[in-house]
């Protein structure tokens, strides 16, 4: 309880000094932290705007603070290099960066929320411009500072890195759930233990997309990636590594695929 | 930590009240207006709102039952707060000057037992597992209830039930019940059949014209529990939430909704839908018309979908 509060306070103090961004914007959610993140998390870009074409959808209320669903859709922006997803208020604001590559600039994920906050998706298009979408999610608090549930079961080590998932070519989507505690390091006595990167490639090893995960991603990270239905790969290889050096490796396929 | 937060809430509440220009009005607004409705000979119910917890309803969303015993009234479920428990005790004294003689908690959800502290000198009965769950999860529930209901909760302390009831024929303050120890809505759900009237007091195993809640649910166990309740052929059913059911439709309604929910979530997982997409699915009209929809459905997606998805999706390594 105390630590995120102090973190939020120190961030708020920092925010007061960070108003001198190169391109001042009016935050549609008026959360008070925007210009700070514009500078610190996005590097104070010159070409940046709030853009309704970046759709960010979450529940109005986080029923389960350690499993908050979020859907970010930037397909209307066109050629997207990366999507940075973060919370204005949280002990660790940065949730995830998605490099869609060959996939559509659209992703579904779950994350841990620590308090009511604006959630942002900052989308950098190929021309270097930033387009920002937002939503506001109310929450009871505690999602980031709670210990993961994993250690309550005694087989968590065997399940570490286990992947469930499938590809649906007809609707152009791939879903994956990777077993991992994703400990934030904010719970007393439990060090940071997270997957840092997941690479998505085709069966020949050609890269398709990449996800950079940060502490607030939920325990057992779950993602949907989207594709043009007629350009959906039949199988996707998922590889990655956590910060303790454990490898992650799996193959999700369309049902019945035998490649 | 929980105590600290609760004190903080109480302080904030106190400050806000002092700041209001019309103090008597502010106090009047935070009082429960509980009306006992006859539900059989020597039986009354306090009928809750079919909405979700809110500052407007003070959490009075639950049905409580008062039954005439030999030395006072037997109360089934005590509401969401100390203040509610006090109002309930007041209602009991208008029906029987001796007030409440015994308490039963059907399960450990906060709206069903957070009024217990008002009756702490009486026996408070529950299933053994309900007592354990109330002890383990009560403080967490309290945190959440203070957040949802603010000053309505002032002074509420978690008082878990103490007196273990097993299943079977049980007499409480001279009144005979058949106690059915079931599960599914939570890991321990008690239903009581009042032998004198044939009324089935179903707790939250049965909802009526109000969407069932699933934060602790096991849908397969719940379905089996509904089989047991159906087999009692009760004269009438008093659900945990929603109006008294004289026609016996509420069990089938609860079952139909839970079956639909289970089927919908499984099919959604098979189709690769994400939770947000599942939450946005349209509800069939008969379920959309239930109280607290579509919010309760969306909460159920949060509660149930992650596990269903893991069970449905194939392994990839
Ligand atoms: Zn309940």
């Amino acid at each position: 309880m105390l630590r995120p509060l102090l973190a939020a306070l120190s961030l708020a103090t920092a925010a007061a000094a960070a108003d001198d961004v190169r391109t001042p914007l009016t935050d549609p959610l008026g959360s008070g932290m925007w210009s700070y993140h514009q500078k610190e998390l996005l590097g104070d870009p010159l070409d940046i705007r709030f853009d309704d074409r970046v759709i960010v959808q979450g529940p109005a209320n986080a029923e389960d603070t350690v499993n908050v669903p979020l859907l970010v859709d930037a397909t209307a922006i066109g050629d997207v290099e990366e999507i940075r997803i973060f919370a204005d208020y949280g002990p660790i604001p940065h949730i995830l960066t998605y490099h869609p590559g060959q996939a559509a600039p659209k992703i579904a994920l779950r994350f841990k929320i620590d308090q009511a906050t604006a959630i942002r998706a900052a989308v950098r298009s190929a021309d270097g411009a930033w387009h920002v979408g937002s939503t506001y999610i109310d929450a009871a608090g505690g999602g980031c500072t709670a210990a993961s549930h994993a250690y309550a079961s005694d087989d968590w080590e065997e399940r570490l890195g286990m992947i469930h998932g499938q590809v649906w070519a007809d609707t152009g989507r791939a879903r994956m759930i990777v077993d991992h505690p994703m400990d934030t390091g904010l719970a007393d006595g439990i060090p940071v233990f997270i997957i840092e990167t997941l690479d998505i490639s085709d069966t020949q090893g050609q890269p398709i997309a990449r996800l950079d995960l940060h502490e607030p991603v939920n325990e057992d990270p779950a993602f949907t990636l989207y594709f043009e239905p007629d350009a959906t790969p039949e199988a996707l290889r998922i590889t990655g590594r956590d910060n303790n050096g454990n490898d992650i490796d799996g193959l999700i396929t369309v049902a019945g695929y035998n490649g | 930590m929980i105590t600290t937060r609760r004190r903080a809430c109480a302080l904030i509440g106190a400050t806000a009240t002092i700041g209001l220009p019309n103090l008597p009005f502010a106090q009047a607004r935070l009082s429960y207006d509980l009306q006992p409705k006859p539900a059989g000979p020597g039986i009354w119910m306090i009928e809750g709102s079919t909405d979700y917890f809110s500052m407007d309803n003070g959490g009075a969303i639950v049905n409580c039952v008062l039954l005439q015993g030999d030395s006072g009234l037997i109360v089934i479920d005590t509401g969401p707060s100390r203040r509610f428990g006090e109002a309930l005790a007041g209602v009991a004294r208008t029906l029987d000057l001796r007030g409440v003689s015994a308490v039963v908690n059907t399960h450990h959800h906060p709206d069903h037992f957070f009024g217990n502290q008002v009756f702490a000198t009486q026996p408070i009965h529950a299933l053994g597992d309900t007592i354990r769950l109330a002890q383990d999860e009560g403080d967490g529930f309290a945190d959440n209830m203070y957040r949802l209901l603010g000053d309505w909760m002032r002074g509420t302390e978690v008082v878990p039930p103490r007196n273990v009831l097993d299943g079977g024929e049980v007499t409480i303050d001279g009144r005979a019940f058949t106690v059915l120890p079931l599960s599914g809505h939570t890991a321990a759900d008690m239903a009581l059949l009042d032998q004198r009237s044939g009324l089935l007091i179903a707790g939250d195993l049965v909802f009526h014209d109000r969407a069932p809640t699933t934060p602790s649910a096991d849908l397969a166990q719940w379905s089996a529990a509904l089989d047991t309740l159906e087999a009692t052929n009760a004269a009438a059913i008093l659900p945990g939430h929603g109006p008294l059911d004289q026609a016996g439709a509420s069990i089938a309604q609860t079952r139909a909704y839970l079956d639909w929910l289970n089927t919908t979530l499984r099919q959604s997982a098979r189709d690769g839908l994400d939770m947000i997409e599942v939450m946005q699915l349209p509800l069939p009209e008969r379920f959309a018309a239930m109280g607290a929809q579509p919010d309760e459905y969306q909460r159920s997606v949060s509660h149930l979908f992650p596990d269903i998805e893991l069970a449905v999706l194939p392994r990839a390594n």
Side-chain angles (χ1 to χ4, degrees):
Chain A
M1 189 66 215
L2 196 60
R3 221 178 326 178
L5 189 65
L6 289 175
L9 285 175
S10 60
L11 283 178
T13 314
D19 282 332
D20 52 337
V21 291
R22 294 195 292 167
T23 304
L25 301 177
T26 303
D27 172 12
L29 296 181
S31 89
M33 284 300 291
W34 169 252
S35 58
Y36 174 79
H37 291 309
Q38 186 176 340
K39 195 166 186 174
E40 299 301 319
L41 231 149
L42 301 180
D44 198 12
L46 207 53
D47 191 354
I48 184 168
R49 68 201 51 73
F50 284 102
D51 192 328
D52 289 341
R53 291 176 300 167
V54 179
I55 301 163
V56 183
Q57 291 182 295
N61 256 285
E63 172 68 10
D64 179 358
T65 56
V66 298
N67 258 310
V68 186
L70 196 71
L71 182 60
V72 175
D73 185 350
T75 45
I77 299 294
D79 204 357
V80 170
E81 294 286 337
E82 65 169 305
I83 303 175
R84 286 188 201 173
I85 301 168
F86 53 94
D88 274 26
Y89 289 90
I92 302 168
H94 198 170
I95 300 167
L96 178 91
T97 295
Y98 181 44
H99 307 268
Q102 311 297 312
K106 176 178 177 181
I107 185 169
L109 63 142
R110 294 180 206 152
F111 70 100
K112 303 182 278 261
I113 199 166
D114 208 65
Q115 63 188 103
T117 180
I119 303 294
R120 316 286 185 175
V123 176
R124 184 168 59 84
S125 48
D127 58 5
W130 287 91
H131 310 262
V132 184
S134 312
T135 194
Y136 186 84
I137 301 180
D138 198 0
C144 275
T145 45
S148 64
H149 296 131
Y151 312 121
S153 68
D154 45 18
D155 66 337
W156 73 269
E157 271 179 297
E158 285 149 51
R159 296 190 297 108
L160 187 73
M162 185 186 286
I163 300 175
H164 289 77
Q166 192 174 324
V167 177
W168 291 263
D170 51 342
T171 52
R173 59 181 62 208
R175 183 136 181 90
M176 62 204 73
I177 304 167
V178 186
D179 245 89
H180 201 282
M182 294 297 289
D183 274 308
T184 60
L186 297 172
D188 281 340
I190 302 174
V192 180
F193 185 32
I194 62 168
I195 301 170
E196 294 178 312
T197 305
L198 287 176
D199 285 297
I200 315 299
S201 54
D202 66 18
T203 49
Q204 315 302 318
Q206 292 302 310
I208 288 183
R210 194 176 93 230
L211 298 106
D212 298 327
L213 286 64
H214 295 268
E215 289 85 345
V217 169
N218 71 315
E219 178 176 354
D220 302 341
F223 303 105
T224 305
L225 311 186
Y226 297 81
F227 299 86
E228 289 294 325
D230 52 6
T232 309
E234 294 228 296
L236 291 170
R237 177 152 222 109
I238 302 157
T239 53
R241 181 170 278 233
D242 69 23
N243 65 328
N244 283 11
N246 297 299
D247 283 323
I248 288 148
D249 191 352
L251 187 74
I252 58 172
T253 65
V254 296
Y257 172 84
N258 293 314
Chain B
M1 186 188 85
I2 286 153
T3 315
T4 311
R5 183 167 330 168
R6 235 176 281 170
R7 283 207 194 107
C9 285
L11 283 173
I12 289 161
T15 313
T17 309
I18 290 162
L20 286 172
N22 192 339
L23 188 59
F25 172 77
Q27 283 176 337
R29 196 175 63 84
L30 292 192
S31 72
Y32 296 96
D33 179 27
L34 304 185
Q35 300 295 334
K37 288 171 69 169
I43 308 173
W44 298 266
M45 75 182 283
I46 306 292
E47 187 173 335
S49 154
T50 56
D51 295 333
Y52 191 58
F53 298 110
S54 74
M55 293 289 184
D56 287 336
N57 60 36
I61 65 166
V62 63
N63 291 339
C64 302
V65 194
L66 303 125
L67 302 103
Q68 188 64 61
D70 283 351
S71 65
L73 289 164
I74 305 151
V75 166
I76 318 285
D77 289 341
T78 58
S81 63
R82 184 190 75 171
R83 201 174 299 198
F84 186 100
E86 285 166 351
L88 188 58
V91 168
R93 283 190 297 272
T94 67
L95 299 170
D96 183 327
L97 274 174
R98 299 168 297 177
V100 172
S101 57
V103 171
V104 178
N105 297 138
T106 56
H107 64 296
H108 78 293
H109 280 159
D111 46 332
H112 296 260
F113 88 94
F114 272 22
N116 278 8
Q117 80 192 92
V118 175
F119 309 104
T121 57
Q122 310 300 333
I124 304 179
H125 304 278
L127 298 174
D129 284 341
T130 296
I131 294 174
R132 273 186 289 282
L133 287 163
Q135 288 165 348
D136 290 351
E137 297 180 16
D139 284 346
F141 285 143
D143 245 14
N144 201 32
M145 294 290 276
Y146 271 87
R147 183 179 72 92
L148 290 167
L149 301 178
D151 204 38
W152 286 99
M153 294 297 293
R154 192 194 296 200
T156 303
E157 296 293 338
V158 178
V159 176
R162 287 182 304 266
N163 304 71
V164 179
L165 270 190
D166 298 318
E169 311 301 310
V170 169
T171 301
I172 301 170
D173 191 22
R175 194 166 182 122
F177 296 93
T178 305
V179 169
L180 302 167
L182 300 166
S183 63
H185 173 69
T186 69
D189 300 292
M190 188 200 298
L192 300 107
L193 191 63
D194 175 47
Q195 292 183 357
R196 200 177 303 171
S197 65
L199 177 71
L200 176 65
I201 299 158
D204 279 3
L205 289 168
V206 177
F207 284 67
H208 189 203
D209 297 339
R210 202 281 184 199
T213 68
T214 58
S216 330
D218 179 311
L219 296 183
Q221 288 178 11
W222 197 336
S223 179
L226 291 175
D227 292 343
T228 305
L229 295 186
E230 217 146 40
T232 62
N233 287 311
I237 299 156
L238 206 152
H241 300 262
L244 178 68
D245 176 21
Q246 308 272 13
S250 54
I251 296 177
Q253 189 189 65
T254 302
R255 186 195 299 280
Y257 178 75
L258 294 175
D259 284 352
W260 170 82
L261 182 65
N262 192 23
T263 306
T264 301
L265 298 187
R266 283 180 180 278
Q267 190 56 50
S268 298
R270 267 186 224 109
D271 293 343
L273 298 196
D274 170 71
M275 264 165 80
I276 295 286
E277 296 170 314
V278 182
M279 286 177 180
Q280 289 168 348
L281 293 176
L283 300 182
E285 210 172 312
R286 66 190 195 280
F287 301 138
M290 294 171 146
Q293 292 286 42
D295 300 27
E296 203 61 63
Y297 163 70
Q298 290 171 0
R299 279 190 285 273
S300 288
V301 175
S302 280
H303 304 147
L304 302 172
F305 194 66
D307 282 347
I308 287 179
E309 201 175 32
L310 270 184
V312 164
L313 292 180
R315 284 280 300 275
N317 57 0

